[in-house]
Amino acid sequence: MEKFHSQRLYIPPFPFLLFLLQFSSLHLFSSAYNPPDKYFINCGSNQGVSTSRRSFVGDKNSGSVSFTKQNSISVENTNQSQNSNNSTLYNTARVFRQQSSYAFDINDVGNSTNYLVRLHFLVFPSTVDLSSAVFDVSASGFLLLHNFTAKNNTNTPLVKEFYLPINANKKFRIYFTPLESSLAFVNAIEFFPAPPVNFSLGEAIKVGQQQGQKTGSSSVFQTVYRINVGGQEIESNDEIIWRNWDTDDKFLISKGNSKESQFYSNPPNYLSEDGEYVAPALVYQTAREMDVNASGGSNITWGFNVNKSAGHLVRFHFCDIISVSLGVIVFNLYINGNFSKAIDPTDNSTLLATPFHYDFSVGSHGSDVMNIGIGLSKKTTENNAFLNGLEILEIKRGLALTPVENEESGNKKTKAPIVIGSAIGGFALLCILVVGFFKLRRRKMKPVENSSWGQVPPYVGGGSSHSRIADPTINGSPLPNLHLGLKIPFAEIQLATKNFNSKLIIGKGGFGNVYKGTLVNGTKVAVKRSAPGSGQGLPEFQTEITILSKIRHRHLVSLIGYCDERSEMILVYEFVEKGTLRDHLYNPGLPRLSWKQRLEICIGAANGLHYLHKGLSGGIIHRDVKSTNILLDKNHVAKVSDFGLSKSGPLDEFETHVSTNVKGTLGYLDPEYFRTQQLTEKSDVYSFGVVLLEVLCARPAIDTLLPREQMNLAEWAMKCKNKGLLEDIIDPSIKGQINPNSLRKFSETAEKCLQDDSGDRPAMSDVIWDLEFALQLQKMPVLRQPHEDSTVNSSSAFLRPNVEYLPSVSTTADNDDDNEYGLSNVCDFSEVSASEVFSLLKTDGAK
C-alpha cells in the first residue's frame, strides 16, 4: 500500500536524483492534477450542453474531434418532453451502420499514459430503432464492449467507464462496430487523462488463480462497481471527476449484523494533495461497521455479480472514523470466503481519519458472484471492523482488430506518402517473391521427410497479422512444425460464417463460440472461435492443432484447418450434424437414443480413445473425456472431440515419471491422477467409465441439486450396483429395452473402469471387447423356463442365454465372469478382433 507523509519534500540539486524521486516505488501523485476541460462530446448534435463543470461540445462543431461522417447519421429524441433524465445530453445520438470511429487529438493533452473513457448510452424514441442496436466497441487495440445492447427495463442511461493506457502524441480512436445487419450508436463521450488513481495489477495483492493475467500499465480496466459503503449515493454532478458512487444496501447479504457509522463532519486527513481524486471526502466521512451486539461477531458480507471468466481488480477504501484512539482496531478482510489480509490502520498513518486503500488482483474462480467480507481479528483490543468504500474493476483481456484508417481522398498532403509507400511495398513484394523462388528451388533439391510441413512464424502480439503459434513449447516440449496446408484465411472463415452471425452459433464453451459454416467449396464445417484476441486458451489452441494435424480416425473429429491471423484463434472442424452425446441424453426436444444405439456410440468412442492411446500418433492422452466431447454424426456414429488438454508422447513415459498440472472436468476426473498428478492412459479410462454411467442413467456426472450422497454419479451408481439397486437409477426411457445380461456386462465394464487403482482398470482395447460383448448379448433372446410368468419384467433377474461358446480375449477381466454366461475359453483368440470373435458366436434365435 502506498504511504504518503505530510511533510515538506526536499528537492535535491541534481536532476538525476530528482528523476529517481519522481519515479520511485512510492509512486507519488503528480502535483496538482487539474480537472480536464476536454474532451466532452455531445454526439449527434451541433449544440453544446453544460452540466456540473463540464461543457459537452456537439460533435458536428468540434475542431479537435472527428468522426467518419460518411458512415453515420445523427438522430434526435422524438419525445423529448418525456425525457425523465432532465438532461439534454440524451436527446441526440450518433448512429453508425458500419464500423466507424471517433478520433481525438491527444498530442496537446499531456503525457499521461492512462486515460479515462466514459461512453453514454440511452435508448430513446427516434426515426431509428436504437433498441435493436447490437455492437462492439474497441479502443487502444482492446475490445471494450462485445455484443453490447443499451436496451434496459429502467429506461435510464448506461454509462460505461474504462481506464486505458494510451501513448501520447498520436490520435486516439474509439471504434463502433455493428454486428450482423444491426447498428451502433452513442449519446456522449468523455475522454481525458485519468486522475492519479494508480490502478496497477503489478502493485496489487494477488488472490486466486492469476494465470494469463496482464500486469502493469498495459492493463485495461472497466469499472463494474463503485460503492460508498455505509453512506448515501454520490451522483456524478457532486463528485470532483464526475464518478457515481452507489450505496451498499442492495449488496449486503445480511443487514442485521452491521450498522452505518455516524457522519464524520471534519474533512479526512489526506496524505496527498491529490488524495481526493482517489476517493472524495464523502466516501471517507461515512462507513459501515459491525454491530457486535446484534451480530455476535459474525462477518459483514457483500455479494456482487461479476464476469466469472474474467479477473478483477478490487480496491478497498478505509478511513478510521469510528475509533476513539489510534491502534485499538485490527480486523480481517475476506475475498470469496478466504482470508486475504489483516487491516491495521496504524500501518498507514499515525493519525485517525486518514484515508488509505488496498488493491487486490482477484483471478477468475468459476463463479459469477464475488463475496467481500470483513470480520473480527484476535489481534484487536476492540471488537469491530469497518469499510468506507469499494471499487471493483474488470480486467479487459480481449484484443481488437485496429483497421487501417484511410484519409479523405481530397487531402493532398497524403498523396505523396501513399505513392511512395506503394512503390516501396511493390519493391518489397518483388524481393519476397525472388527470395521465395530460390528457397523453394533449394528445398526441392534437398531430401526432406515432408515438404508440406514448415515452420510457422512466431507470435508477435496483439493486433499483428502474424501467426499466434509460438515457437517455444507446448506441454514442456518444443512445438513441432505445423501443417501450413491447414491454414485458412480469416476472410474465408468470415465468409463461411456470414461474419460470425450469432444465428449460426451451435455451441458455446470455455474456448469460445462454435459456429456452423460453409466453406467456398461447399464443405460444411464447425468453426470454434476464441474471444477475439483474448490470449486465453493459446496453449490449448496450439495443442489441438498439433494433435489433430497428425491423426485421422473414423471416431475422432477431423481438423479441416485453423486461422491465427490478426490475433485470432480459430479452429475449423468437420461438421458433425447431431451435436453432443450429452444433448441426446438430456435434451427433451431430441429423440431418445435406444439402448442398442447407446452401446454402439460407446463402442465408437472407445475405439477413438484406443487409437489415441495406441495408434500411429505415438501415444496421446485426451485428459477431458466427457459426454460433451463425444459428438454424433447423422448416422449416430461417435466422434471424440476437443483435444485442447491432451498430452502426447510415448505412453510408457507417462506411466513411469510424467507429472503434470491436473486438468480435466469435475466429476470425470481420475481420483488417482488428482492425488498423485501422475498422468496415464488409465485416467482416460476412468473418465470413460463415468461416461458409460451417464449413458445408462441419463444424468450428469455431478448434480448439485441432489442430496449429497447422490451428487457424484460414479460414487452413487456403484453404491446402487453393490446393493443390487442399479436398475432403480437407469434412464426410464430404456428400462424395458435392456437385455439383463447386456446390462450386467455393461455395468461390470463401467465398474472396472472406475477402480481407484489405475492398475486395476482395463485398457481401452479390453473396454471395446467388453462393450462389443454387451452389444451381442443385447441381440440375444432371453430364454425362459416353462414355469416362468411371461408378465414378469425381464430385467428383474440376470438370465443366461443359450450360447454354444465364446472365448474371452480380455486381458483384465476375470475368466470366471464369462463362465457365468456358459462360455468356455477353448482357444487363444488374442490376435483376433472383437468383431471376428463375435462372428463365431452361435445362439439359438440370435439376429
Side-chain angles (χ1 to χ4, degrees):
M1 176 59 205
E2 303 157 355
K3 294 183 179 180
F4 304 100
H5 303 280
S6 55
Q7 60 185 25
R8 187 178 302 275
L9 292 176
Y10 169 69
I11 301 178
F14 303 105
F16 179 70
L17 293 179
L18 177 60
F19 177 86
L20 291 180
L21 177 63
Q22 289 176 333
F23 292 91
S24 68
S25 59
L26 292 177
H27 293 285
L28 293 175
F29 289 139
S30 59
S31 176
Y33 171 83
N34 294 315
D37 56 5
K38 62 177 184 181
Y39 294 101
F40 301 101
I41 308 301
N42 182 21
C43 301
S45 175
N46 57 7
Q47 301 295 322
V49 175
S50 295
T51 171
S52 181
R53 307 182 313 282
R54 284 176 295 179
S55 294
F56 286 84
V57 180
D59 61 2
K60 294 180 180 180
N61 296 331
S62 177
S64 55
V65 177
S66 60
F67 56 91
T68 45
K69 299 178 182 178
Q70 66 272 26
N71 297 329
S72 70
I73 61 172
S74 60
V75 296
E76 294 186 3
N77 187 342
T78 58
N79 195 7
Q80 296 183 14
S81 61
Q82 295 186 9
N83 182 0
S84 59
N85 300 290
N86 297 321
S87 173
T88 56
L89 189 65
Y90 299 106
N91 281 338
T92 62
R94 173 83 38 205
V95 176
F96 304 100
R97 290 290 185 181
Q98 62 188 68
Q99 185 178 69
S100 305
S101 66
Y102 275 89
F104 299 85
D105 293 326
I106 61 173
N107 56 346
D108 60 342
V109 175
N111 293 320
S112 173
T113 57
N114 292 292
Y115 282 69
L116 190 148
V117 174
R118 291 195 190 104
L119 306 174
H120 297 251
F121 306 96
L122 176 66
V123 173
F124 55 64
S126 72
T127 55
V128 175
D129 183 11
L130 299 181
S131 65
S132 66
V134 182
F135 54 98
D136 292 349
V137 180
S138 58
S140 284
F142 285 87
L143 187 64
L144 304 183
L145 298 173
H146 181 52
N147 285 0
F148 175 72
T149 176
K151 185 178 180 180
N152 62 80
N153 295 328
T154 60
N155 195 32
T156 55
L158 294 179
V159 180
K160 300 296 182 179
E161 181 182 276
F162 305 89
Y163 292 88
L164 298 97
I166 300 174
N167 295 323
N169 302 315
K170 59 181 287 191
K171 273 190 179 294
F172 169 74
R173 295 181 183 273
I174 302 177
Y175 294 93
F176 296 84
T177 308
L179 297 192
E180 180 77 13
S181 67
S182 186
L183 56 92
F185 79 95
V186 62
N187 300 87
I189 300 175
E190 299 175 63
F191 170 65
F192 54 85
V197 292
N198 283 347
F199 290 126
S200 172
L201 291 178
E203 300 171 5
I205 302 170
K206 290 181 171 58
V207 177
Q209 184 179 359
Q210 301 297 318
Q211 185 175 0
Q213 194 136 284
K214 299 180 186 298
T215 59
S217 61
S218 63
S219 299
V220 172
F221 302 98
Q222 178 182 356
T223 305
V224 184
Y225 297 100
R226 187 178 283 122
I227 309 297
N228 181 22
V229 180
Q232 299 298 312
E233 178 183 358
I234 303 174
E235 295 184 352
S236 61
N237 290 340
D238 299 324
E239 217 261 12
I240 191 168
I241 51 171
W242 314 286
R243 294 169 294 194
N244 283 301
W245 295 77
D246 205 351
T247 63
D248 69 326
D249 289 345
K250 59 185 176 183
F251 304 105
L252 275 171
I253 293 179
S254 176
K255 296 184 180 180
N257 59 349
S258 70
K259 62 181 181 181
E260 296 178 359
S261 62
Q262 293 183 351
F263 185 83
Y264 182 77
S265 57
N266 295 326
N269 298 308
Y270 285 113
L271 294 176
S272 162
E273 60 181 309
D274 289 332
E276 191 170 5
Y277 291 105
V278 177
L282 287 174
V283 170
Y284 296 123
Q285 289 173 318
T286 58
R288 186 171 295 278
E289 60 180 301
M290 301 189 72
D291 188 349
V292 181
N293 295 328
S295 67
S298 62
N299 293 352
I300 306 175
T301 306
W302 297 263
F304 300 91
N305 291 323
V306 295
N307 180 354
K308 66 179 180 181
S309 61
H312 293 82
L313 187 139
V314 184
R315 171 166 290 184
F316 296 86
H317 295 271
F318 300 100
C319 184
D320 190 355
I321 59 174
I322 64 175
S323 297
V324 294
S325 61
L326 198 67
V328 296
I329 291 181
V330 177
F331 57 94
N332 292 334
L333 179 65
Y334 301 90
I335 300 178
N336 292 327
N338 298 315
F339 172 75
S340 293
K341 186 173 179 60
I343 305 300
D344 184 350
T346 61
D347 290 340
N348 298 274
S349 175
T350 58
L351 298 173
L352 288 174
T354 301
F356 62 96
H357 65 267
Y358 287 105
D359 290 346
F360 292 82
S361 174
V362 183
S364 58
H365 60 291
S367 173
D368 56 6
V369 176
M370 181 186 295
N371 288 323
I372 302 298
I374 53 175
L376 300 180
S377 170
K378 296 180 181 179
K379 300 179 180 180
T380 183
T381 58
E382 182 177 332
N383 291 328
N384 211 338
F386 65 89
L387 180 64
N388 301 79
L390 179 69
E391 294 177 83
I392 300 178
L393 298 95
E394 181 179 323
I395 304 164
K396 307 299 290 186
R397 304 190 186 285
L399 300 180
L401 302 180
T402 302
V404 177
E405 295 295 333
N406 295 317
E407 301 293 340
E408 294 183 14
S409 58
N411 190 343
K412 297 181 180 180
K413 293 181 180 180
T414 63
K415 288 184 178 180
I418 290 174
V419 172
I420 295 172
S422 300
I424 294 174
F427 178 74
L429 178 60
L430 178 62
C431 293
I432 292 171
L433 291 174
V434 172
V435 173
F437 171 77
F438 283 106
K439 283 190 173 182
L440 180 62
R441 184 175 181 181
R442 180 183 298 177
R443 180 182 297 176
K444 289 183 177 179
M445 296 173 63
K446 293 182 179 180
V448 293
E449 293 182 2
N450 189 340
S451 61
S452 65
W453 288 65
Q455 188 67 35
V456 178
Y459 170 51
V460 175
S464 169
S465 62
H466 291 278
S467 169
R468 294 182 64 87
I469 305 300
D471 282 335
T473 61
I474 284 183
N475 301 328
S477 61
L479 177 65
N481 295 337
L482 296 179
H483 202 306
L484 295 181
L486 293 176
K487 295 194 73 172
I488 300 177
F490 180 70
E492 184 174 345
I493 296 176
Q494 277 186 305
L495 181 63
T497 60
K498 297 182 180 179
N499 197 23
F500 302 100
N501 191 329
S502 58
K503 295 179 181 179
L504 295 177
I505 293 177
I506 56 175
K508 296 183 180 181
F511 185 86
N513 291 335
V514 182
Y515 301 81
K516 180 180 178 181
T518 306
L519 298 179
V520 291
N521 61 5
T523 303
K524 302 288 186 188
V525 292
V527 178
K528 184 162 68 171
R529 183 195 194 195
S530 172
S534 69
Q536 296 188 70
L538 180 58
E540 291 83 358
F541 176 68
Q542 296 170 329
T543 299
E544 189 136 7
I545 297 172
T546 303
I547 297 294
L548 287 176
S549 63
K550 61 183 180 180
I551 59 176
R552 283 293 183 271
H553 191 273
R554 180 171 184 255
H555 294 292
L556 300 177
V557 169
S558 297
L559 181 69
I560 303 296
Y562 69 92
C563 175
D564 60 342
E565 296 177 14
R566 298 185 291 179
S567 302
E568 291 280 355
M569 292 189 294
I570 300 174
L571 296 167
V572 182
Y573 308 91
E574 64 171 312
F575 180 65
V576 185
E577 291 87 342
K578 292 191 177 296
T580 71
L581 171 59
R582 183 185 181 92
D583 289 340
H584 288 268
L585 293 176
Y586 308 145
N587 190 336
L590 295 175
R592 309 305 294 173
L593 295 170
S594 68
W595 178 240
K596 179 175 176 291
Q597 284 177 313
R598 299 185 193 203
L599 285 171
E600 290 172 340
I601 289 167
C602 291
I603 292 168
N607 272 285
L609 291 172
H610 174 59
Y611 175 80
L612 289 178
H613 293 172
K614 303 296 185 183
L616 297 176
S617 54
I620 296 170
I621 300 175
H622 189 282
R623 278 212 297 180
D624 199 19
V625 178
K626 55 185 178 181
S627 58
T628 52
N629 286 340
I630 298 174
L631 306 182
L632 305 179
D633 73 4
K634 61 182 179 181
N635 298 317
H636 291 97
V637 173
K639 293 178 179 288
V640 178
S641 68
D642 201 341
F643 299 88
L645 299 182
S646 298
K647 283 278 189 178
S648 61
L651 290 180
D652 55 350
E653 293 184 9
F654 284 113
E655 294 173 0
T656 55
H657 64 269
V658 174
S659 62
T660 174
N661 292 332
V662 175
K663 290 188 178 181
T665 300
L666 192 65
Y668 299 89
L669 200 59
D670 171 15
E672 183 181 77
Y673 171 40
F674 184 80
R675 290 193 306 269
T676 66
Q677 299 188 20
Q678 299 296 313
L679 182 64
T680 74
E681 63 177 293
K682 298 297 182 69
S683 297
D684 281 352
V685 174
Y686 181 93
S687 302
F688 189 70
V690 179
V691 172
L692 294 180
L693 293 179
E694 261 192 289
V695 167
L696 181 64
C697 304
R699 60 145 284 189
I702 297 291
D703 190 342
T704 57
L705 299 178
L706 293 174
R708 184 168 183 175
E709 63 173 359
Q710 299 179 22
M711 283 185 186
N712 187 297
L713 174 60
E715 295 177 0
W716 178 239
M718 289 302 98
K719 286 180 182 178
C720 291
K721 181 181 183 298
N722 294 335
K723 295 178 181 179
L725 302 174
L726 184 60
E727 295 177 58
D728 293 346
I729 63 172
I730 293 175
D731 182 0
S733 70
I734 59 170
K735 265 191 177 180
Q737 303 176 17
I738 306 179
N739 183 307
N741 298 300
S742 176
L743 173 60
R744 179 174 182 177
K745 192 63 182 176
F746 185 89
S747 62
E748 287 174 350
T749 305
E751 185 175 27
K752 292 173 186 176
C753 293
L754 295 171
Q755 293 299 304
D756 286 337
D757 188 340
S758 61
D760 295 332
R761 299 173 200 156
M764 286 309 303
S765 57
D766 302 318
V767 174
I768 295 169
W769 196 95
D770 287 340
L771 293 175
E772 290 271 14
F773 190 8
L775 178 60
Q776 294 302 321
L777 291 172
Q778 176 63 23
K779 296 177 180 179
M780 298 177 187
V782 178
L783 302 181
R784 304 178 184 278
Q785 299 300 323
H787 63 272
E788 288 184 310
D789 184 355
S790 62
T791 62
V792 176
N793 189 334
S794 62
S795 64
S796 62
F798 290 110
L799 304 178
R800 180 177 301 175
N802 185 14
V803 182
E804 289 188 13
Y805 75 90
L806 176 68
S808 172
V809 298
S810 175
T811 59
T812 60
D814 191 338
N815 286 337
D816 290 339
D817 292 345
D818 292 328
N819 290 334
E820 291 179 10
Y821 292 100
L823 309 177
S824 59
N825 195 359
V826 178
C827 56
D828 183 9
F829 280 84
S830 59
E831 299 300 324
V832 183
S833 69
S835 59
E836 291 173 317
V837 170
F838 288 120
S839 69
L840 301 176
L841 186 68
K842 292 184 174 64
T843 306
D844 294 339
K847 297 180 179 179

